[in-house]
Amino acid sequence: MDPLLYLGGLVVLFLLWIKVKGLDYVIVHQRWIFVCLFLLPLSVIFDVYYYLRAWLIFKMCSAPKQHDQRVRDIQRQVREWRKEGGKTHMCTGRPGWLTVSLRVGKYKKTNKNIMINMMDILEVDTQRQVVRVEPLVNMGQITALLNSLGWTLPVLPELDDLTVGGLVMGTGIESSSHIYGLFQHICVAFELVLADGSLVHCTEEENSDLFHAVPWSCGTLGFLVAAEIKIVPARLWVRLQYEPIRGLENICRRFSEASEDKSNTFVEGLQYSLDEAVIMTGTMTDTAEPNKINRIGLHYKPWFFKHVERYLTENKKAVEYIPLRHYYHRHTRSIFWELQDIIPFGNHPVFRWLFGWMVPPKISLLKLTQGETIRQLYEQHHVVQDMLVPMKHIQTAIARFHQDIHVYPLWLCPFVLPPGRGMVHPKGEEAELYVDIGAYGEPRVKHFQAKASCRQLEQFVREVHGFQMLYADVYMERSEFWEMFDGTLYHRLRKELGCQDAFPEVYDKICKAARH
């Protein structure tokens, strides 16, 4: 009884402390308390529910029949909107807090919300080597199923909660993108419900213009209801080599060389300062040296970016064998390195052993509970940006990141960008190697101003014919946005398909200067 009384006393004191300080104070200044006590358990419940639901539906083979019915329901909603006069734009009815993007989309309050509850894997076709999925299927679902069948996606973006719809309508990247390109480049077909309620199927050969215009359009050409994505045979392990490099010129040269070498299935860099980085190269294999196996996805293991930093500190090369699914989601537990700002002691061995199995908290729940105060603090004192620049400008780009925001670590991920006619393609007629420079954290430059600093980076990216990922805060004016992105095909199709009165323009949907 004594331990229960002691625990009860602690709970009473904790509640009294919250009452005295106020809930807002606790959530802002001691957010880890709220996250550990409430959000972590809730996140586990969410994960278990959605995993079991997806597994049962796929095993029972009920998803395809339900899919056709759900598509008809979306068509019905669109046609009803048209009958009512189409007085406002349409958008998906999914709450903004459920998305992985940190942006707060106010348009959902004024637009007609079309409910799209489509989160099932419909078919795995090993003969054609494609998987057909609904738009709300996430990367955690896909790896869990495909890996168990001996298959995987050629490009499998990192975080579990990233959805196919978000990756198609926005974009996605992974350390294999130097071979396969962005997520859009492994998609072979899209199915969309258009502004008139019709269902269309588009591929490279059928409705080709629409197929090329959909990526990066952010749901402003139609509602995605299914996608077919390439799959490739999976292996059991990733043989990963860690190589610490010092000196910015050496880092950029070695990273470029590794990215051009197609014998590397995976290439990634973590840059810990202007002159220090670890370059990682990997290949898939079915065999592993037993004494070099590291199951980095286990809950008690150090966060991956901290594990990698050890090789820089010790200044030594090393090779490890990592289970394939553990490798794919190596940054998930720490949300890259963002979780260290939310739970400062999250990488402590005691916390990992006791509570690491509940990490990470769902990004959607973090957004739902952050409140206006935290949102404003994050906006003014926190950076989450991915800038895509040609590899030939990597050294200048890293120097600009250091000068304008000074956030470390930086994530370096190479990708090949083939020629095309959509919103994003290289300046010339040939494929070009690019690098995604990801900055996530608190800027350490003096007198940091979110808008001014990000606009400086945006201007640099435009000058080198690069691109900004649209999940983050975008500060460009309309003319600057369409200087960065090619809107030729996009604008023509919006006019031809009657999208102008049905959906907001992509700029109006995602850019801060246009939001109201």
Side-chain angles (χ1 to χ4, degrees), residues 37-38 54 69 95 119 128 157 161 173 227 240 250 291 341 353 359 376 400 406 420 435 471:
L37 290 181
F38 299 103
Q69 180 181 338
M119 54 187 73
R128 294 175 52 225
D161 289 340
I173 191 171
L240 193 64
N250 294 333
N291 62 332
D341 293 332
W353 272 98
V359 166
Q376 290 181 3
R400 284 299 298 265
H406 199 274
V435 58
Y471 76 89

Side-chain angles (χ1 to χ4, degrees), residues 219-496:
T220 60
L221 293 172
F223 294 111
L224 183 72
V225 294
E228 287 189 1
I229 310 166
K230 295 176 185 175
I231 58 176
V232 294
R235 299 289 181 262
L236 296 176
W237 306 93
V238 172
R239 181 188 184 277
L240 193 64
Q241 177 172 302
Y242 304 87
E243 184 179 355
I245 309 285
R246 285 178 168 80
L248 181 57
E249 187 176 341
N250 294 333
I251 292 168
C252 296
R253 183 178 63 251
R254 179 69 189 101
F255 185 75
S256 298
E257 291 171 354
S259 303
E260 291 169 359
D261 185 354
K262 297 301 188 289
S263 67
N264 293 322
T265 310
F266 306 104
V267 178
E268 175 185 26
L270 294 185
Q271 184 140 356
Y272 292 90
S273 72
L274 183 62
D275 298 309
E276 297 178 310
V278 177
I279 308 300
M280 288 160 280
T281 55
T283 55
M284 284 197 285
T285 177
D286 281 326
T287 58
E289 300 175 50
N291 62 332
K292 294 182 179 180
I293 290 174
N294 185 2
R295 302 179 188 275
I296 60 173
L298 297 176
H299 72 275
Y300 56 84
K301 289 286 188 173
W303 290 346
F304 185 69
F305 78 98
K306 287 294 187 182
H307 171 67
V308 174
E309 190 175 19
R310 183 168 61 88
Y311 295 108
L312 185 65
T313 304
E314 298 174 0
N315 196 30
K316 67 175 184 180
K317 292 183 180 181
V319 170
E320 289 184 329
Y321 291 84
I322 299 172
L324 180 62
R325 189 159 190 260
H326 289 212
Y327 175 80
Y328 278 142
H329 301 289
R330 62 200 178 281
H331 294 298
T332 294
R333 287 191 300 128
S334 57
I335 317 178
F336 280 82
W337 30 93
E338 291 276 62
L339 197 56
Q340 65 182 348
D341 293 332
I342 300 171
I343 307 177
F345 48 83
N347 194 47
H348 191 281
V350 174
F351 181 87
R352 294 200 312 264
W353 272 98
L354 294 178
F355 305 109
W357 58 276
M358 292 193 289
V359 166
K362 305 289 279 187
I363 295 175
S364 55
L365 294 179
L366 289 172
K367 286 175 63 178
L368 179 65
T369 59
Q370 68 182 359
E372 186 63 22
T373 303
I374 292 180
R375 191 189 68 77
Q376 290 181 3
L377 284 172
Y378 261 69
E379 187 172 306
Q380 295 301 319
H381 305 288
H382 200 86
V383 167
V384 178
Q385 291 285 351
D386 280 87
M387 298 293 188
L388 316 179
V389 299
M391 186 68 77
K392 59 190 176 187
H393 297 296
I394 182 175
Q395 187 168 339
T396 309
I398 292 173
R400 284 299 298 265
F401 269 75
H402 180 84
Q403 172 188 313
D404 291 342
I405 59 175
H406 199 274
V407 170
Y408 292 100
L410 290 175
W411 189 54
L412 306 178
C413 185
F415 69 98
V416 62
L417 187 61
R421 54 188 189 273
M423 286 177 59
V424 172
H425 55 76
K427 196 170 184 178
E429 296 300 319
E430 296 183 358
E432 185 172 353
L433 196 60
Y434 274 63
V435 58
D436 174 7
I437 303 177
Y440 326 116
E442 185 176 347
R444 286 179 281 175
V445 293
K446 291 183 179 179
H447 313 300
F448 171 78
Q449 292 182 325
K451 182 177 180 179
S453 298
C454 288
R455 279 186 58 78
Q456 288 175 345
L457 274 180
E458 289 169 348
Q459 180 181 350
F460 166 76
V461 172
R462 289 196 305 274
E463 289 172 353
V464 299
H465 196 71
F467 308 95
Q468 180 178 14
M469 282 200 184
L470 301 182
Y471 76 89
D473 284 331
V474 179
Y475 292 89
M476 288 181 282
E477 300 294 332
R478 193 180 302 271
S479 60
E480 295 169 333
F481 181 85
W482 290 117
E483 177 188 340
M484 177 180 286
F485 296 97
D486 184 354
T488 308
L489 179 62
Y490 172 79
H491 288 301
R492 176 168 67 80
L493 283 180
R494 272 180 62 82
K495 186 176 180 180
E496 291 177 3

